[in-house]
Amino acid sequence: MKHLKIIFIAFLIGITIFTVYMYIASLQEKYDMLTTLEKIKVEVVSLKNENQNLLVSLGNEKTLNNSLTAENAGLKEELLAGEEKLNKLGEEFQSALKNIEELNNEVVALKAENVSLANQKEIMTLQVAQVAQEKKDLEEKMDSVVELKKMIRNLKKHVRKTTKEVKTLVKIEKVKAAQLREMLGNNGYIIRDGKPTFSPRIKIQVEPISQ
């Protein structure tokens, strides 16, 4: 009985020790689980906060995306409008180039015409100067009474001298004609009133010189 009591007591002590060990182990496991649970709670809260931040960021991204989409649409419209303006400017530029080319041709033609007009002007200037000089000389001559009278006297002298020379020449020709008639006789022509009927070979006509 004594041995059984000792075995029973040892058995109880073993059970007690095992129970205490198991209890301590359970407490340690519980503490570890609580610690792990707290960590999980913290992680959950952190994940919730991060999720919330992600949602906010996602909303901001959506808003930004919508804004960028609208801005992109506006840029596309502006791009189309810019292309239309660029095409219009290109057409205007081509038209301007054509107008510039036509103007250049007109300028070249005008320059050539200006050169021709300048030459004509120079010629006309020389002609005007020449005419003006001739007019001046003529006016000087015509305004000079003395020169005009001198010209008239010279003309009268020339007329008188010419008349005398013509009369002298007529007399000489008459003498020559008379001498010739005497030498040749009447040559069969009839003489009437002492004059031969044939026409003289030399006809002299004196006309006065116009003043």
Side-chain angles (χ1 to χ4, degrees):
M1 289 295 293
K2 185 178 181 181
H3 290 291
L4 289 174
K5 187 183 284 187
I6 292 171
I7 293 171
F8 182 72
I9 291 171
F11 178 75
L12 289 175
I13 291 171
I15 291 174
T16 300
I17 293 171
F18 178 75
T19 303
V20 171
Y21 173 78
M22 291 299 295
Y23 178 72
I24 292 171
S26 298
L27 290 176
Q28 183 64 36
E29 186 178 358
K30 182 179 179 180
Y31 177 75
D32 292 337
M33 290 180 66
L34 290 174
T35 302
T36 303
L37 183 60
E38 289 296 330
K39 289 180 180 180
I40 291 173
K41 287 182 179 179
V42 172
E43 290 179 359
V44 169
V45 172
S46 176
L47 289 173
K48 286 183 177 181
N49 292 329
E50 187 177 356
N51 189 19
Q52 187 66 30
N53 293 330
L54 288 173
L55 290 174
V56 173
S57 178
L58 182 60
N60 294 331
E61 289 292 333
K62 287 183 178 180
T63 303
L64 180 60
N65 189 21
N66 293 331
S67 177
L68 290 174
T69 302
E71 186 177 357
N72 190 17
L75 290 174
K76 286 182 179 179
E77 292 179 357
E78 292 180 359
L79 181 61
L80 293 175
E83 289 179 353
E84 292 179 358
K85 290 182 179 179
L86 185 62
N87 293 330
K88 186 176 180 180
L89 287 174
E91 294 176 357
E92 293 178 355
F93 180 72
Q94 293 296 330
S95 178
L97 287 177
K98 185 177 180 181
N99 292 332
I100 290 172
E101 185 177 359
E102 292 177 355
L103 289 175
N104 286 331
N105 294 332
E106 291 180 2
V107 168
V108 171
L110 287 175
K111 285 183 178 179
E113 186 176 356
N114 288 336
V115 172
S116 177
L117 290 176
N119 294 331
Q120 293 180 7
K121 180 181 178 182
E122 185 177 357
I123 294 172
M124 291 295 294
T125 302
L126 294 176
Q127 291 179 352
V128 169
Q130 184 178 0
V131 172
Q133 185 64 36
E134 292 177 356
K135 181 181 178 182
K136 182 178 179 181
D137 296 339
L138 183 61
E139 288 178 350
E140 290 177 356
K141 289 182 180 180
M142 295 303 294
D143 291 340
S144 178
V145 178
V146 177
E147 185 69 21
L148 183 61
K149 289 181 178 180
K150 185 177 179 181
M151 290 174 61
I152 293 173
R153 285 196 299 271
N154 291 331
L155 287 173
K156 287 182 178 180
K157 289 179 180 180
H158 183 70
V159 169
R160 287 196 296 270
K161 183 179 178 180
T162 303
T163 303
K164 289 180 180 179
E165 291 178 353
V166 169
K167 288 180 179 180
T168 302
L169 184 62
V170 169
K171 289 180 180 180
I172 293 172
E173 292 297 330
K174 285 183 178 180
V175 171
K176 288 182 178 180
Q179 292 176 355
L180 183 62
R181 284 196 301 271
E182 290 178 358
M183 291 175 63
L184 298 176
N186 59 2
N187 290 324
Y189 292 98
I190 299 174
I191 298 175
R192 183 179 181 180
D193 297 330
K195 296 180 180 181
T197 58
F198 62 90
S199 301
R201 298 182 180 180
I202 299 175
K203 182 179 182 181
I204 299 174
Q205 184 177 359
V206 180
E207 294 181 357
I209 298 176
S210 175
Q211 294 181 356

